[in-house]
Amino acid sequence: MQHIRNFCIIAHIDHGKSTLADRLLEHTKTISDRDMQAQVLDDMDLEREKGITIKSHAIQMDYTHTDGKKYAINLIDTPGHVDFSYEVSRALAACEGALLLVDASQGIQAQTISNLYLALENDLEIIPVINKIDMDGAKIPEVTDQIVDLIGCKPEDIILASGKSGIGIEDIMTAIIDRIPAPKGDPEAPLQALIFDSVFNSFRGIIAYYRVLNGSIKKGEKVKFVHTGNEYFADEVGVLRLGLEPRKEVKTGDVGYIITGIKNAKDVKVGDTVTTSVNPTTEIVKGFEEVKPMVFAGIFPVETDDFEELRDCMEKLQLNDASLTFEPETSQALGFGFRCGFLGMLHMEIIQERLEREFNQTVITTVPNVSFKAYTTREPEVAIIVNNPTEMPDPSRLDRIEEPFIRAQIITLPDYIGNIMSLCLGKRGILINQHYLTPTRVELIFELPLAEIVFDFYDKLKSSTRGYASFDYQPLDYRESDIIKMDILLNAEKVDALSALIHRSRAQDFGRKLCAKLKELLPRQQFMIAIQAAVGAKIIARETISAMRKDVTAKCYGGDISRKRKLLEKQKEGKKRMRQIGSVDIPQEAFLAVLKLDE
């Protein structure tokens, strides 16, 4: 155990975590030159296309230290985006130390600070690294001062490195061996292992990744999953290299995988404890906190018959992404589907992409919203959780509604303070604090309603600050607010999938824009379509799509005018009947139109 080190890399988006991981793997000869590629640990096409890490990836490296001793080093590369901070919290639970990476040209940003706090809560040893020191805009002395102020270390403790050109890699390896403590644990105690991730393999069933805290796990022995109480034989155990490397035994302090042939996704829970059936442990490992979804949206199959198949795909995806939560729901417009909880808008977009790519499922996603608390006049103390506009109680029985607020931390250059102020105050924000971290870097703290930042806040923040501002948030509490339900009617029929819960002050403007957008997107029919936005019984906006006219008189040439009139009268009668029974097909773009209203 003295020769094992477990660490992860944490940083803000685009500060070079995956590139640094590539250099560490090259330096320790874990990967041959033939297999080497950029972002080698990011194995999803989606991660490579977008240039972001979505999943934490574990890999073991062998390293011979300058004193001649051999060490096994387990590296977990983590995502940087705020929507995937749950992945980071799980990676930290399996480590003793963390490399805190800061970009030399950008300095400390919001996600750097929040990830650092996560690591400190888990009592990890922090090794600060300034990355990209060979870039033209590198501000090494300034960034060094920022790190010293933030974590209180000595300037000489900070390692200067470049993931691209490989500068400082040997110093980082030495620091990992010398500064990060070896894992603590009792090899003789009963087996106690924490599951921190799992994946579904269509040939081998569910593969669970775990960190052994006490005891050891051997191939072929009977193991028990404490949370579900189920027992299985360990068909294969081993460590994580670039692929899976089988071993006869995985010992205390190591990170490994287990294959037991489990096929049902519900039988493996991330955060569960694995122990042996013969000599079970009495203590359950304290896993990570339950995930709190921030954004809710409906996911529906295009064909209602595919509902069960979609359920299977969602369960397999949930194995690999424990922060996805879902429950069945029905919609009058879309039939059977699922109400899903996501950590943010990027998370929602990634889930939809993964369903289409990995499971070949074409789905319709409804308007995202957040969860509100509604109180009725009959029981003013009992909160009704409203995740969906259809769950909203009748307005006549409504006492009050509370909406979730968040504490937003924005770090930016002083030039953009005005832009950020107007953006946040326009989103009903309250300025709490303004604090200069350095003469060229200012931190703004706002309290904002979560509903206002769900759609396009992040994009607008980036465009109004030319990409310089960084943003992070934590949930606060629920506060009373004037939230109303806005319905969209097509030919006087409500389309429940387009309903939205919105603040009264924004309803009229939002309704107008949405009606105008739907007018562009809905195909014209043989009858007139009225698009209306309504709050209760009051219509607040309307657009009309005029009917396509079929030329019924085309076959009449010459002859009496009364023949033409007769045909036109007949068409008019048909149109009336058509309008009464005509149903409107709504394309997928219409459901997503709400997200792109300001474009």
Side-chain angles (χ1 to χ4, degrees), residues 136 248 378 477:
D136 294 342
K248 286 188 176 161
R378 188 177 296 168
D477 51 5

Side-chain angles (χ1 to χ4, degrees), residues 307-340:
F307 173 70
E308 284 302 328
E309 194 184 330
L310 180 62
R311 186 201 293 271
D312 284 350
C313 299
M314 296 285 277
E315 283 178 356
K316 286 172 188 169
L317 191 55
Q318 193 179 32
L319 261 183
N320 197 234
D321 185 348
S323 52
L324 169 68
T325 57
F326 64 90
E327 57 188 39
E329 78 160 353
T330 54
S331 152
Q332 292 159 351
L334 300 170
F336 291 103
F338 295 98
R339 186 95 201 138
C340 304

Side-chain angles (χ1 to χ4, degrees), residues 18-19 22-23 26 35-43 48:
S18 298
T19 312
D22 291 350
R23 294 295 83 74
E26 261 183 357
D35 293 333
M36 194 62 211
Q37 53 182 359
Q39 281 178 270
V40 71
L41 290 180
D42 294 348
D43 48 15
R48 294 179 180 285

Side-chain angles (χ1 to χ4, degrees), residues 31-86:
I31 287 181
S32 63
D33 294 341
R34 191 182 67 177
D35 293 333
M36 194 62 211
Q37 53 182 359
Q39 281 178 270
V40 71
L41 290 180
D42 294 348
D43 48 15
M44 265 186 254
D45 295 343
L46 209 54
E47 291 179 311
R48 294 179 180 285
E49 277 170 33
K50 292 184 180 286
I52 57 173
T53 303
I54 295 167
K55 287 285 302 166
S56 297
H57 297 276
I59 190 164
Q60 190 177 81
M61 311 180 281
D62 291 329
Y63 174 67
T64 308
H65 196 30
T66 44
D67 58 8
K69 290 179 182 163
K70 277 196 169 181
Y71 289 85
I73 299 175
N74 291 307
L75 151 70
I76 303 180
D77 180 25
T78 63
H81 197 282
V82 62
D83 279 15
F84 305 112
S85 55
Y86 186 63

Side-chain angles (χ1 to χ4, degrees), residues 206-306:
I206 289 161
I207 304 172
Y209 299 154
Y210 55 83
R211 156 78 198 275
V212 183
L213 299 172
N214 289 308
S216 65
I217 186 165
K218 298 182 183 70
K219 182 181 175 177
E221 73 179 341
K222 203 171 190 184
V223 293
K224 179 180 179 182
F225 287 74
V226 177
H227 182 83
T228 56
N230 296 339
E231 298 185 349
Y232 306 95
F233 285 101
D235 298 336
E236 183 177 311
V237 297
V239 293
L240 301 155
R241 292 294 178 124
L242 192 54
L244 305 176
E245 192 173 284
R247 296 272 169 94
K248 286 188 176 161
E249 185 178 18
V250 179
K251 297 178 178 163
T252 310
D254 235 333
V255 174
Y257 72 90
I258 180 170
I259 298 174
T260 55
I262 304 173
K263 290 283 190 284
N264 189 353
K266 292 194 179 77
D267 290 348
V268 175
K269 212 166 170 54
V270 168
D272 196 359
T273 306
V274 181
T275 186
T276 50
S277 301
V278 184
N279 183 12
T281 179
T282 49
E283 280 181 57
I284 293 176
V285 184
K286 287 184 175 61
F288 346 101
E289 73 284 354
E290 273 298 303
V291 59
K292 293 187 186 73
M294 304 294 254
V295 176
F296 294 87
I299 286 188
F300 294 85
V302 176
E303 298 290 332
T304 321
D305 302 348
D306 298 340

Side-chain angles (χ1 to χ4, degrees), residues 537-555:
K538 185 183 174 191
I539 303 293
I540 55 171
R542 171 177 170 135
E543 292 282 348
T544 308
I545 300 177
S546 53
M548 273 195 308
R549 180 169 172 271
K550 185 178 172 190
D551 191 359
V552 288
T553 60
K555 61 185 181 205

